[in-house]
Amino acid sequence: MRWTWRNLDSIGAALGEHVLLVGAALLLAAAVALPLGVLAARRPVLRAAAMGGSAVLYSVPTLALFALLVPLLGLGFRAALLALASYAMPVLLRAVVTGLEGVAPAVRDAADGMGLTARQKLWQVELPLALPSMLAGLRVAVATLVSAATVAAYIGGGGLGVLILTGLDQGHTEKILVGATLVCALALAADVALRRMQRA
Amino acid sequence: MIELRGVTKAWPGGAGVQALDLTVPEGTCCALIGPSGCGKTTTLRLVNRLVEPDAGSIRIAGQDALAQDPVQLRRGIGYVIQEGGLFPHRRVGANVAVVPALLGWDAARTRARVEEVLALVGLDPAVYRDRWPHQLSGGERQRVGVARALAADPPVLLLDEPFGAVDPLRRAQLQEEVLALLKRLRKTVLLVTHDVQEAVRLGDSVALMRAGRLVQHAPPAAMLARPADGFAADFLGADRALTRLGLFRISDAARDAATVPGEALPEATTLRDALSAMLERGVRALPVTEGGSLSLEALLASR
Ligand SMILES: Nc1ncnc2c1ncn2[C@@H]1O[C@H](COP(=O)(O)OP(=O)(O)O)[C@@H](O)[C@H]1O
Ligand SMILES: [Mg+2]
């Protein structure tokens, strides 16, 4: 444990980087998935393309995706961020589309019939009703990202993966354990927090 | 008043509505009937422009509905559908307050109105206002649907099989109650139903449709007495004469002064039930609770 006590600040920095990577990737993914999902839920052709494309994207192994993106984006935080975002985006997109499609036709019809504008219907009726599905998608995305972000270390993205990677390199068991434990703890904490939100 | 003139809507698959002329005078209820797929729902949705016509004119309270902004138009028309369409994420009170909120009413006025309309449809506001839709029975949900449609006090209401999903035992009473309320409030109502009995009981007039066209539009008793063609006669049923007798009461028929034996029927009894009682008892005259008697001859003459 001596190493841990002496390196608390760099461990903290790695944890901070990890959280930042996951948070930023989530925001980026949501910024694409939400509008795209809203559009796709209304247009069958776009829906088919978006759902098909996202299934393919999500099925690519994490490391392979990172490797594929390196020639395009190079190394570093930005590359890792984009790779992670493109990994989470399909999950969120599916959740948005599924959630919106789950809104009962009678509820939409009533909303139209009472004189809600398309925008009012979206914000006051459709998105609130899609929220449970979107939160479920968010949980999956966060769990995926927390673990996928570990791999970001391979392309110089930073985060807790660096502890594990360098630990492995140096045969430094304590370092590996600290990194791995923190990744697990982060995943669990995020999941508990999101489950609370889902219930509320 | 609702006036449709030459209204036409073609769907890509065919059918739709063709050159429909239909007038529903102010304060009356027109019951739209016809076989499934004949265009009843399409006609209803043309009125609040959830469906846009290809041709024709639509006037509501004298105003050209097609010249108005559809969203504004709909805020002035009550709309009740079969499945209710309550917002599951809002409590009963908030559901009823949807249109007042869209119209920008203040909180106090909205709250008072929500209580008023819930009471009108027979739901105690103190009990129901804070319930969730999923905590209600089918009948209660439909009552809330009607309250929601009435909230902003629109002169015109569109009801699409509003109680079709309510169990049959309660349906008749609920229909009766709601239509009596709408009549009392002097609403102009277009009601879609596929049930002839319901249509003739609730409509001041009945509009019979077939394959997108209006076959006949007449008061219930007139339609039952003189169906326009073979299709109308078939649709109204072989027992249409009996259905028609059900529209009249003993008090509508000529009464004999003579007293006859047997259990007396109140004069609010329908002539259909009176005829049934005669058949059951094997008699040609029945005593009436309020005095005198009803003869078979008088019953037949009152047709
Ligand atoms: N949005 C639509 N798009 C295409 N066809 C439709 C649409 N709505 C209704 N139709 C068709 O129009 C016909 C009449 O439908 P509808 O008015 O719902 O009948 P009803 O209410 O009398 O059962 C049906 O054949 C139906 O398939
Ligand atoms: Mg219909």
Side-chain angles (χ1 to χ4, degrees):
Chain A
M1 291 298 277
R2 288 217 343 256
W3 176 85
T4 308
W5 296 127
R6 267 191 279 111
N7 294 279
L8 273 181
D9 49 347
S10 66
I11 294 172
L15 181 64
E17 241 171 26
H18 205 92
V19 171
L20 183 68
L21 206 50
V22 170
L26 266 182
L27 278 181
L28 201 58
V32 177
L34 200 60
L36 191 60
V38 167
L39 285 180
R42 286 186 202 153
R43 276 160 258 245
V45 179
L46 183 60
R47 179 194 184 280
M51 295 298 254
S54 65
V56 171
L57 205 56
Y58 189 63
S59 65
V60 176
T62 320
L63 197 53
L65 184 65
F66 280 88
L68 283 171
L69 285 175
V70 168
L72 292 174
L73 302 169
L75 297 172
F77 183 84
R78 253 190 42 203
L81 178 62
L82 277 174
L84 288 175
S86 55
Y87 209 53
M89 201 281 288
V91 179
L92 296 181
L93 180 66
R94 270 174 179 278
V96 173
V97 172
T98 317
L100 289 175
E101 282 176 351
V103 179
V107 171
R108 286 173 206 277
D109 190 42
D112 289 329
M114 282 189 290
L116 275 78
T117 62
R119 182 178 300 222
Q120 286 168 332
K121 182 172 65 164
L122 180 66
W123 287 100
Q124 295 180 23
V125 180
E126 293 173 314
L127 287 177
L129 289 175
L131 198 60
S133 161
M134 295 196 293
L135 281 178
L138 191 63
R139 256 180 87 191
V140 175
V142 168
T144 310
L145 282 188
V146 170
S147 66
T150 316
V151 183
Y154 279 105
I155 60 168
L160 293 168
V162 176
L163 298 183
I164 300 174
L165 213 60
T166 54
L168 284 169
D169 217 31
Q170 303 156 359
H172 194 320
T173 316
E174 188 180 341
K175 210 170 169 183
I176 301 171
L177 280 179
V178 168
T181 309
L182 281 176
V183 170
C184 292
L186 192 59
L188 279 175
D191 202 57
V192 167
L194 282 168
R195 205 152 3 142
R196 285 246 173 89
M197 259 168 79
Q198 257 177 315
R199 264 194 243 117
Chain B
M1 176 131 118
I2 306 170
E3 295 169 277
L4 305 182
R5 289 285 162 269
V7 172
T8 295
K9 171 71 199 181
W11 291 119
V17 168
Q18 282 156 41
L20 192 75
D21 291 321
L22 184 68
T23 301
V24 186
E26 198 150 332
T28 68
C29 170
C30 172
L32 263 182
I33 52 170
S36 179
C38 71
K40 304 181 293 293
T41 296
T42 303
T43 303
L44 200 79
R45 293 164 63 90
L46 278 160
V47 175
N48 63 3
R49 292 182 62 192
L50 289 174
V51 171
E52 291 287 348
D54 300 328
S57 77
I58 301 169
R59 301 182 76 80
I60 295 167
Q63 306 260 22
D64 182 357
L66 298 177
Q68 295 175 48
D69 170 40
V71 166
Q72 293 300 331
L73 176 78
R74 290 173 200 145
R75 291 177 185 174
I77 298 176
Y79 185 52
V80 184
I81 52 180
Q82 178 169 344
E83 303 84 355
L86 296 185
F87 295 166
H89 59 304
R90 296 217 183 144
R91 293 176 195 271
V92 166
N95 261 287
V96 174
V98 168
V99 180
L102 291 173
L103 295 174
W105 291 16
D106 64 51
R109 182 179 176 203
T110 302
R111 194 181 163 83
R113 182 60 182 167
V114 166
E115 303 210 337
E116 190 181 349
V117 286
L118 281 176
L120 273 179
V121 299
L123 298 175
D124 180 358
V127 175
Y128 287 94
R129 193 183 44 219
D130 293 327
R131 291 222 178 142
W132 295 100
H134 71 82
Q135 296 172 319
L136 306 177
S137 73
E140 288 167 341
R141 270 201 283 272
Q142 293 305 91
R143 283 175 196 267
V144 175
V146 173
R148 183 170 70 170
L150 286 173
D153 205 16
V156 169
L157 278 99
L158 306 174
L159 314 181
D160 195 347
E161 308 201 22
F163 306 110
V166 178
D167 73 83
L169 281 175
R170 303 239 177 88
R171 190 189 310 159
Q173 198 220 327
L174 192 55
Q175 289 265 26
E176 211 85 56
E177 203 182 304
V178 167
L179 264 292
L181 169 67
L182 297 182
K183 180 121 293 185
R184 186 154 59 79
L185 299 174
R186 298 245 340 130
K187 300 297 182 191
T188 306
V189 179
L190 193 54
L191 165 78
V192 168
T193 168
H194 57 258
D195 180 350
V196 173
Q197 303 295 329
E198 223 159 65
V200 300
R201 226 179 36 240
L202 303 173
D204 296 298
S205 70
V206 177
L208 173 62
M209 291 183 68
R210 178 193 198 182
R213 290 183 182 279
L214 190 62
V215 174
Q216 189 174 6
H217 184 202
M223 183 176 289
L224 289 164
R226 291 175 297 278
D229 57 17
F231 164 77
D234 276 353
F235 192 84
L236 296 170
D239 61 347
R240 58 187 177 275
L242 288 175
T243 304
R244 186 168 177 281
L245 272 186
L247 299 177
F248 299 99
R249 301 183 184 278
I250 292 178
S251 51
D252 297 321
R255 196 88 55 86
D256 287 355
T259 52
V260 296
E263 196 191 327
L265 298 181
E267 61 182 7
T269 309
T270 66
L271 290 182
R272 182 188 173 124
D273 288 351
L275 179 63
S276 174
M278 287 181 193
L279 286 171
E280 189 176 21
R281 300 179 194 179
V283 298
R284 303 179 66 89
L286 294 167
V288 179
T289 313
E290 285 80 359
S293 58
L294 172 74
S295 68
L296 179 60
E297 288 69 26
L299 185 152
L300 293 176
S302 71
R303 283 185 309 121

